[in-house]
Structure formats: structure tokens, C-alpha cells
Amino acid sequence: MRNPLSERITDIPFSGIRKFFDIAAEMKDVISLGVGEPDFDTPWHIRDEGIYALEKGRTAYTSNAGLKELKIEIAKYLKRRFEVTYDYEKEMMITVGGSEAIDMALRAMLNPGDEVLIPQPSYVSYMPCTVLANGTPVIINLKEENDFRLTAQELEEAITPKTKILVLPFPNNPTGAIMERRDLEAVAKVVIEHDLYVISDEIYAELTYLDEHVTIASLPGMRERTVLINGFSKAYSMTGWRLGYACAPEEILEQMLKIHQYAIMCAPTNSQYAAVEAVRNGDEDVKKMREEYNGRRRYLVKRLRDMGLNCFEPYGAFYAFPCIKQFHMTSDEFATRMLQEEKVVVVPGTAFGECGEGFLRISYAYSLSKLKEALDRMEGFIEKIK
Amino acid sequence: MEMREKILTYIEKNSRVDLRDLAVMLDMDEAIVANEMAAMEAEHIICGYHTLIDWEKTSIEKVNALIEVRVTPQRGRGFDSVAERVYNYPEVNAVYLISGGYDLLVTLEGKTLREVAQFVSDKLSTLDSVLSTKTNFILKKYKDHGTVIAKPQNDERMLVSL
């Protein structure tokens, strides 16, 4: 029989966490700090709207770009929260999570050979999606000494005549790093100078603990060269609803919409109705969850530092990214041993790029008591291997 | 948020939190948190630290009732003196002054139906200012003090995700 598979697909490796998932799934009494989604349930008033929508029989397709009502609310929200204005009719589409938006944006913008700058450590989909879109990924290794922020110099050094897109994944999964206004301004200057486009994945925009999140699209000259990606998963604890959105200049957006129309049709209708309620009346929920995350964040970072680990202050998302280089083990060995010996799951930094070597991603999307127990075990493990 | 509000918001749901952890989470000095809490106890802002128990899961029998009480307010003291007479009974859990069709809402805990009935007929109804009572027995508690007790929540997330 002929090989049924596409080489382009088979050349892409599986994600590095499958192994951990498989080991952990076989064990009892495992405590996981390895989850990349909120521990809160979707606030009830949002779920309630989802139920109402079903009761009213709102079960048909929406328009390809998404429910008008929802897009209007998102446009208001973006103005209110992040000072960016988008025409909801021409510059916005509702997607199946932020993930789909990343894929669509890359596919709509890349020609074979175009280079995409991907700062790492970062979420795992940028590289494969770039490859699938015929682009060439170029990695920028972010450094702990810069608090894992992207500097103008690092950007400048990675640019070639073929560079077309910069992916900007902040607030960042897995490091918890953020980019403040001045960091973004420096990057924007280089982007404009070299006539690049930015795909800004701001799915964690609501979860920052220093100042309010700044979107690069709000900086002068950047709106016309930015695809802004956000969604409902992290801010409103709506991961399973699979709902995100993309905002971009009309020229880009209409091509993204073409792919979406053929590949997806529309985002889930029920989720879209629930999301109207989220974005209209959810600010208070977001605030409460952010407060709660922030408390756990401080607790986690303090515990890690008390264990003698070097841990830079993560001001975004819900992860800490401590350094474990002092133990002379790879991240993978450390995580595997800690899982086997103490039954605690963390994700090795290398799952998010080679430069994650020597680091662990620890999620604080857990109750304080869970965090505490897991960290007690981790402390015991560190005592043992010291 | 004010410092006190932050402390209260947290301990309202987690009264057993370690003071040191609380201080870390709120980004405050531990001594300051301890002082504030002591002060709020003295000022009776913090009135107690309780445990939420689902007695139904134990073998211990409890009967809970909500009693609507209509009373005659007293000159000069309004409802306060009759409320005081009622809340001093140890079997009374809570007494609220209510707007609407009746005056006091009294919640009561007894061992048996008869015990509750006896309290109402012998003690509560016989008070001079009590005009009438209406006793509602609680059949099942679904949620109490902001916590769903009918079914425990499980973490249904995958163990690892990116």
C-alpha cells in the first residue's frame, strides 16, 4: 500500500507533553500543576445565556464572520479596555478559539519562503502552523535576564530580507512574561522600519498583574500592520466553548475569512450567544479571577524562591517559569523524576522551545490547597536531589 | 481595594488560611495582617470563624426550620427587644428583621421535629409581642454560605495541557 501520509505533516513532531500525560494518567494521587487552562468554571450568568440560547432554538449557523451582536460587543470592549477601535463589520471575525485565528492569520499572509519570527519559549502552535502555511519559522530565543521579554535588538538581529511576520505572544505562555508599553514601542519601531506585520496573540490580555495590558495595535502606525488575536478561554474561563476572535485590517481579514468560510463555516453558535453575555457583563468576573490568580501567583513565586530556585517575576498569564539549572538535570529529566518520585506534574520548559531548557512551567490555575500540597512535594524532591 | 476589604474578602471563604500565606498572597506584611485581624475581631467586624458542615452526610440527625414571625414592635425599642428575647435561645441560629409580609425571620436547629415544634409552640408563640408564626421545615440544603453542598466539584480538566 502507498504511504497515506503527507510528509509535511509527518515531519512535524508531536508535542512534548504527551509522555507526561501518559505517565500521569497511569498513576494514582497525582497532583498536576501542568494545566494550561483556568480552574474556575465559566461564570454562571454566561452559562445561563448558553442554556437560554439552546432553549430558544438558536442552533443554526451564524454568518461566517460571526454573530453581529457579539462583534459589536467585542468592538466596544476593545475600545473600553485597550483603546483600539475596529470596524466590527470589516475588521473582525469570530474564530474557534485563538488557535484557529493564529492558523488563519498565517495562512492568509504567507507566501512560500516568507520568514516568520517566533520568540520562544512560547505556545506550541506557531511553528507548525507556519510550516503548514508554507512559511519558514525563525526562532528568537528569549532570555531570562530580560525577563523573557522581546527586545528591539533581538528582533533586529533576527530580521532578514525574507522576514514578513513577527509573532508576539504576550502575556506569555509558558513564561508569564509581559511586554510593557515601552517594550512594545521599541519593538514597534523596528517592525515599522522593516515593514513587517505582527500577529499579536493576546489571549492572556486580561491576566496581567502589573499595569493594564497594552496591545501593540494601539501604538501609532501599528494598527494597519497587526492581526490582533484574543478570545474567551482565559479571561472568562471558557476554554471548552472554543471561542476566540481576530481583528485586522480589512485586506487581511477578508482573506482570513475566506479560509474560515471554507474550513470552519462559523464558530459554535451557542458559544457565541454565551460570549455576548461574557463580554457585555463579565468585567466583574474577570476582576475577581484576576485577584485570585494574583494571590496564588505571589504565593507560588515565594515558595519557589524559598526552595532556592531562581524565578523571575511573572506578571502575566497563570504560570511561573523557575530555573532548575543548578540541579544539573535537563528539564525533561527533572519533570520526569518529580512525576515518578513525588507524583507532581509540571511541564518541562523545552515543550515550548529549545531555549526552555533548564526551566519548568508551573501553572497556578489551582486552588491554594492544591498548590500548597504540590509545592510541599516539590520541596521534598528538591531537598532530596540537592 | 482597602487592606481590610482584601483580608475580609479572602477569609470570608477561607477562614483557615495560614496567616503567613495570606500575607504573601495579599502582598502585605504578616504582622500588619495579624494586627488588622485582631483589630477587626475586637471591633466585632469579624464575629467568628465557622465550619460549613453537611450534616446529612453524617449519622447525626438535625432538623432545620425557617420561622416567619409577626410581632408587635415596642414603643421606643422597635423590634430590638423582641428580637433579643428570641435570639437568646441557644437553639436559634439566626434572627433577621425582614421587610415584607412578616417581621422576623428566625432560623432554628433542633434534633427532632418535635423539638422544633415544641420550641415554636411553647417558647416563641407565647412571647407577648409575637402575633403569629409560620414554620417552614428545611427539606434539603443545596447551597449554604455561598457554597454548593449538594454535589462536590471535581476537577475535570486534563492532567496536562499546553
Side-chain angles (χ1 to χ4, degrees):
Chain A
M1 255 203 316
R2 284 199 292 177
N3 182 349
L5 302 174
S6 142
E7 276 168 30
R8 191 189 285 158
I9 291 293
T10 50
D11 284 351
I12 295 173
F14 282 106
S15 101
I17 60 157
R18 281 222 329 194
K19 179 178 106 183
F20 290 87
F21 186 81
D22 292 343
I23 304 174
E26 295 295 308
M27 292 172 92
K28 269 189 178 160
D29 303 321
V30 170
I31 298 195
S32 176
L33 300 182
V35 164
E37 59 179 323
D39 59 317
F40 302 104
D41 289 331
T42 307
W44 178 254
H45 64 106
I46 299 170
R47 286 189 271 163
D48 205 25
E49 279 304 312
I51 295 168
Y52 272 125
L54 286 180
E55 282 178 349
K56 283 183 212 149
R58 290 180 161 158
T59 54
Y61 296 130
T62 68
S63 74
N64 296 130
L67 209 57
K68 181 177 164 192
E69 205 183 341
L70 176 58
K71 290 190 293 170
I72 291 173
E73 287 301 330
I74 291 171
K76 282 192 214 160
Y77 163 86
L78 289 173
K79 179 93 190 79
R80 166 173 94 231
R81 295 283 293 133
F82 306 117
E83 292 157 22
V84 275
T85 311
Y86 283 100
D87 178 345
Y88 73 89
E89 282 183 294
K90 299 194 178 106
E91 299 176 316
M92 185 188 297
M93 66 189 278
I94 310 298
T95 58
V96 181
S99 314
E100 190 211 339
I102 295 163
D103 183 29
M104 304 281 126
L106 288 164
R107 284 207 259 167
M109 294 166 77
L110 288 176
N111 289 305
D114 285 344
E115 290 181 355
V116 179
L117 299 179
I118 302 172
Q120 285 186 342
S122 61
Y123 183 61
V124 293
S125 82
Y126 311 124
M127 217 160 81
C129 285
T130 299
V131 172
L132 291 175
N134 289 312
T136 307
V138 175
I139 305 305
I140 301 177
N141 292 321
L142 300 178
K143 295 189 190 72
E144 188 189 21
E145 70 219 47
N146 300 324
D147 284 356
F148 292 103
R149 295 175 192 207
L150 174 66
T151 68
Q153 196 195 338
E154 287 168 333
L155 174 58
E156 189 87 57
E157 283 168 10
I159 293 171
T160 75
K162 289 182 180 167
T163 308
K164 184 168 190 185
I165 295 174
L166 166 67
V167 174
L168 207 57
F170 296 96
N172 182 274
N173 170 15
T175 64
I178 59 166
M179 293 279 280
E180 290 182 80
R181 184 180 291 276
R182 62 171 185 277
D183 306 316
L184 290 172
E185 279 167 354
V187 163
K189 194 165 160 258
V190 180
V191 165
I192 292 169
E193 240 170 61
H194 292 270
D195 193 20
L196 307 183
Y197 288 88
V198 169
I199 296 178
S200 189
D201 181 355
E202 305 181 18
I203 192 73
Y204 290 96
E206 285 287 5
L207 302 179
T208 62
Y209 313 101
L210 190 61
D211 290 319
E212 292 286 343
H213 171 78
V214 178
T215 173
I216 195 162
S218 69
L219 302 185
M222 283 309 298
R223 190 184 173 287
E224 55 265 42
R225 46 179 79 248
T226 301
V227 178
L228 166 64
I229 295 173
N230 205 329
F232 296 87
S233 294
K234 317 295 173 170
Y236 304 97
S237 283
M238 291 179 72
T239 46
W241 299 76
R242 304 311 305 126
L243 211 62
Y245 52 91
C247 299
E250 185 179 358
E251 187 189 10
I252 301 173
L253 197 101
E254 67 180 350
Q255 300 306 319
M256 289 171 66
L257 195 54
K258 197 194 286 174
I259 310 170
H260 177 77
Q261 177 186 347
Y262 292 132
I264 303 284
M265 196 77 179
C266 70
T269 300
N270 188 51
S271 302
Q272 293 193 57
Y273 278 102
V276 172
E277 171 67 17
V279 75
R280 194 180 274 162
N281 296 317
D283 286 3
E284 200 51 37
D285 302 296
V286 174
K287 203 175 140 212
K288 262 192 214 156
M289 291 191 263
R290 188 190 305 123
E291 283 280 329
E292 176 69 29
Y293 284 132
N294 197 9
R296 300 171 187 179
R297 180 185 72 88
R298 292 195 189 104
Y299 175 78
L300 171 62
V301 171
K302 170 137 198 317
R303 287 287 309 262
L304 293 172
R305 287 177 182 163
D306 288 350
M307 289 177 209
L309 299 181
N310 206 7
C311 183
F312 90 102
E313 191 75 34
Y315 285 117
F318 37 63
Y319 311 102
F321 204 61
C323 175
I324 47 127
K325 288 176 183 165
Q326 56 185 295
F327 303 108
H328 308 294
M329 272 188 237
T330 65
S331 301
D332 196 278
E333 280 166 355
F334 189 104
T336 308
R337 272 192 65 186
M338 190 157 75
L339 173 55
Q340 280 163 344
E341 294 172 31
E342 300 294 332
K343 298 181 181 175
V344 177
V345 183
V346 297
V347 181
T350 41
F352 306 92
E354 279 169 30
C355 63
E357 185 56 85
F359 297 89
L360 303 172
R361 187 192 77 173
I362 301 188
S363 164
Y364 50 88
Y366 295 92
S367 68
L368 183 70
S369 56
K370 273 264 153 59
L371 267 183
K372 196 168 199 159
E373 193 182 341
L375 290 167
D376 288 349
R377 291 187 192 185
M378 182 169 174
E379 196 170 2
F381 178 69
I382 283 177
E383 282 303 313
K384 204 163 63 181
I385 61 171
K386 242 181 200 170
Chain B
M1 243 197 287
E2 285 284 311
M3 185 161 64
R4 283 188 165 194
E5 190 186 343
K6 279 187 182 169
I7 295 173
L8 291 173
T9 305
Y10 197 88
I11 64 168
E12 187 176 19
K13 285 275 188 285
N14 306 280
S15 61
R16 277 164 55 89
V17 67
D18 187 290
L19 265 196
R20 206 173 47 190
D21 297 344
L22 181 63
V24 172
M25 284 190 289
L26 300 182
D27 198 19
M28 293 175 195
D29 191 73
E30 190 184 337
I32 292 175
V33 175
N35 284 341
E36 280 303 318
M37 286 186 56
M40 288 191 286
E41 285 169 23
E43 291 167 41
H44 223 60
I45 293 170
I46 296 173
C47 305
Y49 301 88
H50 297 96
T51 307
L52 188 59
I53 298 168
D54 185 3
W55 287 103
E56 277 197 21
K57 294 209 179 68
T58 70
S59 55
I60 298 158
E61 291 282 330
K62 299 251 182 199
V63 177
N64 286 278
L66 292 176
I67 306 163
E68 303 167 15
V69 188
R70 287 179 56 233
V71 301
T72 322
Q74 281 182 333
R75 195 183 192 97
R77 295 207 55 198
F79 294 95
D80 292 353
S81 75
V82 56
E84 189 179 339
R85 302 262 343 223
V86 177
Y87 69 57
N88 276 324
Y89 289 109
E91 50 271 65
V92 168
N93 255 340
V95 178
Y96 307 116
L97 182 62
I98 298 290
S99 68
Y102 56 97
D103 305 307
L104 296 179
L105 176 64
V106 177
T107 75
L108 203 68
E109 184 179 282
K111 284 195 188 70
T112 60
L113 211 78
R114 175 191 296 217
E115 200 179 278
V116 173
Q118 235 161 24
F119 174 82
V120 176
S121 58
D122 295 359
K123 294 173 179 161
L124 198 57
S125 316
T126 54
L127 290 175
D128 278 346
S129 29
V130 170
L131 297 171
S132 72
T133 65
K134 187 168 152 193
T135 304
N136 309 282
F137 284 101
I138 292 172
L139 303 179
K140 183 172 179 177
K141 286 185 185 175
Y142 292 98
K143 186 177 182 181
D144 212 352
H145 291 83
T147 302
V148 175
I149 52 182
K151 59 171 195 283
Q153 291 266 315
N154 292 323
D155 190 345
E156 289 181 359
R157 295 176 294 170
M158 294 186 297
L159 278 172
V160 199
S161 56
L162 290 170

